[in-house]
Amino acid sequence: MTPYRNPALPVEERLEDLLNRMTLDEKCDQLLQTTIGPDVNPNNLGDGGEFRPSIGSILSYFGGAHKRNEFQRRAVEGTRLGIPIIWGMDVIHGWRTGFPVPLAQACTWNPETVEACCRVAAKECSAEGIDWTFAPMVDIPNDPRWGRVMESFGEDPYASGLFARASVRGYQTADPSAPDAVAACLKHFAGYAASEGGRDYSYSDISARKLHEIYLPSFHAGVDEGALTLMSSFNDVTGTPAVVNRYLMTEILRDRWGFSGFVVSDWDSFRQLKAQGFSGDPEKVAIRCLSAGNDMEMVSECFKLLPELVRSGRLAEAVVDEAVRRVLRVKFKLGLFEHPYTEEQPVEATALLPEYRRLARKAAQQCAVLLKNENSLLPLDPASIRTVALVGPVAEDAAALVGNWRGNVDPATVPTLADVIGEFFPQSRIITVPGCGFETAAEGEIASAVEAARGADVILAALGEEWNRSGENCSRADIALPAVQRNLLHGLAATGKPVVLLVSAGRPILYPELEPCANAILHLWQGGHEAARACFDLLTGECNPSGRLAMTFPRSMGQIPIYYNEHRRARPDQGYYHDLEESPMYPFGYGLSYTSFTYSDLSIKEDLTASVKVTNAGERRGTETVFLYLSDPEAELTQPARRLIAFRQLELAPGESRVVRFELDKMRDLAYTGPAGERIFEEGEFVLSTAGLTISFECR
Ligand code: GLC
């Protein structure tokens, strides 16, 4: 058996043996990725390239295991060295079973839930021939005009790092060579969320400090968790586009973090360097992207020039070899040489299993955020409600509950709010009427819906974004819901009947106009396959809302960017907008429960053990997330007014108290990151805060 085919040998030995057997052309082909059919991402132009059995990777192929195996057989059995292709796909929040969009998953504050959702997604997609997902997206946005906030884990670097780790564990497991494991891909490296004005694909000016303090930590966490790949980003990072940014992809990612996997470019980003003003010369682009540390080229074909560039002496073959090593290393670690083919099973046997739907329901319950509950209108008691009206464009729309980047989720298998409401209000008369579309309404449609709802004892207003209003290339100058929906809500409010507003959206929306029209508000996000049932589980008290916002909701567009970990102002009591309340509409970490929690006895010891007592002061069992923030009031490099350094979730019965302990570490938690990425600890005073309690302490 040739060494590279021997699984008993170490990966490094196998890949060196294989590399030494490869021709220059075979090496360079490993660095190319193409589609073989129309890409379902409408933002990705082009209808796919031709299949070549020597190519390194195929992306976005929805043909399933059998067809994938047919192509894979041509690579493994039809080429000289039989190097398997790695098949990549955007599996962002589920494959066949839809889970909440990542921003919603972050609002669960439950890394175990995130890991479990990724685990199921990996099981489902690997069964259909996918080896690699282009997830998790771990950009750190603070501008909801950018539609891709829905793919992120929100505005906090520390939390996003924990969710990145959970995602990597869920996708790859401890053994990435397992047939139901898929390679993770931390994206988009780096600073894409800083796209100016929330306008997708635009320039991002990022200080060295902010790069290391805000944008890199979640990637570092994912690399540290063992992510096998990264994807470089579209954005121009302060003059050096990410895809040619050697500082990011070599000095930081490899030299400092020790990353040994490979970096794939984002769709066509090599060719976009011309539009960005870097270069339109494909030879220069190929040399610079490869030399910077971008190993594989997604869809554009500059790397087809590599063999000639090496032969002409313009590029050292050693640079190609290093990129090929990284790609082969991932293929070996995924076990693709041992199991290049996918076991062919009927989709019914691998997808949408009952336990997957149960997980989807639990995740959707945990991600929803209760924003208002006037006079404890919720939970509703169905037995006391003769007539309930379900009104709004989301009422009967399944796709809106799933959101964008839905992989292979079939909306026809997703129950809508209208489909399931009867399960929860068996004795009630149910009136269901759209009232308007997402963006438009027919003449008189709103008025007749309001008239119909007038006869109800309670009105459920199901409003929100159409499935593709958030996501890639979905930048908006105004994040308010469309006027027709706002008009419908005003009409429903005018009936004087209790109104519960349910919002399905992939991003923060503007609530100031909506809030007065509703007695209760449940922000559902895009909760996935079982969002409808989860919604009613929450509305009827079957479960108690526990979601907390992972991203700030602004009061107005004029406030953007607005985020919790802002740096201090020179004059804390001045400089505010004269025409607007300073606070956000709903702050980071906000969310109500059907019970209430009190906090007391915040303390910290010499050994940096912090503790706080939390009590469930209400009559219902509930889950609380305890957020611990640090402030560093005096530092050589000024610090954010506060930053999250730990969180813990606990479920408490009515009247139950528990002391939550946090073992803090000086360098991990009290130090800050400098402009070169170094950790800096400055002795002196620090302040811990949680739920309005604060305590200051000295640390040397
Ligand atoms: C897209 C996205 C990226 C995605 C890739 C493949 O343009 O930016 O997130 O993974 O192309 O679809």
Side-chain angles (χ1 to χ4, degrees), residues 127-310:
E128 296 184 46
I130 293 159
D131 309 309
W132 174 29
T133 176
F134 305 130
M137 189 264 225
V138 294
D139 301 309
I140 308 292
N142 62 22
D143 188 335
R145 292 174 293 182
W146 190 52
R148 303 200 75 166
V149 298
M150 58 81 70
E151 304 169 55
S152 78
F153 289 120
E155 68 194 39
D156 180 68
Y158 165 75
S160 295
L162 290 183
F163 295 129
R165 289 178 180 275
S167 302
V168 170
R169 291 194 301 269
Y171 288 128
Q172 296 185 179
T173 76
D175 175 16
S177 70
D180 69 356
V182 296
C185 183
L186 306 168
K187 71 182 186 183
H188 306 77
F189 195 60
Y192 183 17
S195 299
E196 276 181 341
R199 293 182 294 275
D200 213 346
Y201 317 116
S202 67
Y203 178 76
S204 55
D205 205 79
I206 302 172
S207 69
R209 164 72 179 292
K210 193 159 188 180
L211 184 68
H212 287 283
E213 178 184 301
I214 300 296
Y215 296 117
L216 293 182
S218 52
F219 286 94
H220 196 178
V223 166
D224 187 59
E225 196 65 33
L228 291 174
T229 73
L230 272 79
M231 182 183 294
S232 54
S233 54
F234 288 131
N235 54 302
D236 179 335
V237 185
T238 319
T240 304
V243 77
V244 290
N245 199 305
R246 184 176 174 78
Y247 174 70
L248 283 174
M249 292 188 290
T250 296
E251 292 178 42
I252 296 294
L253 182 61
R254 267 99 185 202
D255 298 348
R256 191 176 306 181
W257 294 351
F259 176 65
S260 63
F262 72 85
V263 175
V264 65
S265 62
D266 201 343
W267 186 283
D268 207 34
S269 60
F270 281 27
R271 271 199 295 238
Q272 290 164 188
L273 286 171
K274 178 176 173 61
Q276 284 173 302
F278 179 80
S279 171
D281 170 359
E283 292 184 343
K284 174 181 175 184
V285 164
I287 292 170
R288 294 295 300 276
C289 289
L290 186 70
S291 308
N294 199 106
D295 307 297
M296 186 180 280
E297 180 180 11
M298 182 187 287
V299 167
S300 49
E301 300 183 329
C302 300
F303 276 2
K304 278 189 172 175
L305 302 170
L306 292 179
E308 191 41 48
L309 289 168
V310 170

Side-chain angles (χ1 to χ4, degrees), residues 109 158 548 589 597-599 602 611-615 623-629 644-652 658-662 689-691:
W109 292 94
Y158 165 75
R548 300 286 183 271
F597 298 95
T598 56
Y599 285 62
L602 173 61
S611 63
V612 65
K613 182 177 172 183
V614 185
T615 302
T623 297
E624 172 69 336
T625 301
V626 180
F627 296 96
L628 187 67
Y629 296 95
L644 185 67
I645 57 170
F647 64 86
R648 188 81 47 77
Q649 209 165 66
L650 64 166
E651 186 178 345
L652 295 174
R658 199 169 311 157
V659 174
V660 182
R661 284 183 179 76
F662 298 95
S689 60
T690 182

Side-chain angles (χ1 to χ4, degrees), residues 374-408:
E374 198 171 60
N375 305 323
S376 301
L377 172 67
L378 298 178
L380 302 172
D381 171 16
S384 67
I385 294 173
R386 285 191 315 276
T387 303
V388 57
L390 176 61
V391 189
V394 174
E396 299 172 279
D397 190 289
L401 298 178
V402 179
N404 216 330
W405 288 115
R406 65 179 183 229
N408 222 354

Side-chain angles (χ1 to χ4, degrees), residues 457-680:
D457 301 309
V458 67
I459 298 170
L460 307 179
L463 310 181
E465 291 191 311
E466 202 155 9
W467 71 271
N468 57 356
R469 187 180 169 96
S470 287
E472 184 181 357
N473 192 15
C474 292
S475 303
R476 305 195 67 81
D478 186 353
I479 58 172
L481 288 184
V484 286
Q485 295 192 46
R486 303 201 305 271
N487 294 340
L488 173 62
L489 186 62
H490 282 295
L492 296 172
T495 64
K497 294 299 178 69
V499 174
V500 178
L501 173 58
L502 308 171
V503 176
S504 179
R507 68 190 341 143
I509 63 157
L510 288 186
Y511 271 102
E513 181 184 345
L514 311 180
E515 198 274 349
C517 299
N519 303 86
I521 302 173
L522 193 58
H523 193 84
L524 301 173
W525 293 109
Q526 288 156 339
H529 239 97
E530 290 296 342
R533 288 193 175 90
C535 173
F536 287 110
D537 290 332
L538 294 161
L539 290 180
T540 59
E542 183 59 35
C543 58
N544 188 351
S546 59
R548 300 286 183 271
L549 295 180
M551 189 170 178
T552 301
F553 279 46
R555 197 175 288 279
S556 117
M557 299 304 292
Q559 278 184 323
I560 295 171
I562 182 170
Y563 45 97
Y564 91 91
N565 51 346
E566 294 181 343
H567 279 244
R568 295 176 174 86
R569 183 182 277 119
R571 294 186 181 183
D573 302 324
Q574 289 177 275
Y576 297 112
Y577 297 118
H578 289 271
D579 55 348
L580 184 71
E581 155 81 36
E582 175 61 12
S583 61
M585 184 67 189
Y586 300 115
F588 175 87
Y590 178 82
L592 301 176
S593 167
Y594 294 149
T595 187
S596 59
F597 298 95
T598 56
Y599 285 62
S600 59
D601 309 333
L602 173 61
S603 69
I604 184 158
K605 294 180 183 167
E606 280 290 315
D607 66 357
L608 295 184
T609 300
S611 63
V612 65
K613 182 177 172 183
V614 185
T615 302
N616 178 344
E619 275 87 49
R620 277 178 177 272
R621 174 174 288 276
T623 297
E624 172 69 336
T625 301
V626 180
F627 296 96
L628 187 67
Y629 296 95
L630 178 86
S631 300
D632 183 348
E634 190 173 325
E636 201 52 34
L637 276 176
T638 59
Q639 291 302 296
R642 61 183 180 133
R643 62 182 169 87
L644 185 67
I645 57 170
F647 64 86
R648 188 81 47 77
Q649 209 165 66
L650 64 166
E651 186 178 345
L652 295 174
E656 181 185 3
S657 293
R658 199 169 311 157
V659 174
V660 182
R661 284 183 179 76
F662 298 95
E663 312 297 329
L664 301 185
D665 174 87
K666 190 164 82 168
M667 288 313 292
R668 183 193 65 206
D669 301 314
L670 307 189
Y672 60 83
T673 304
E678 74 281 21
R679 296 293 289 161
I680 302 169

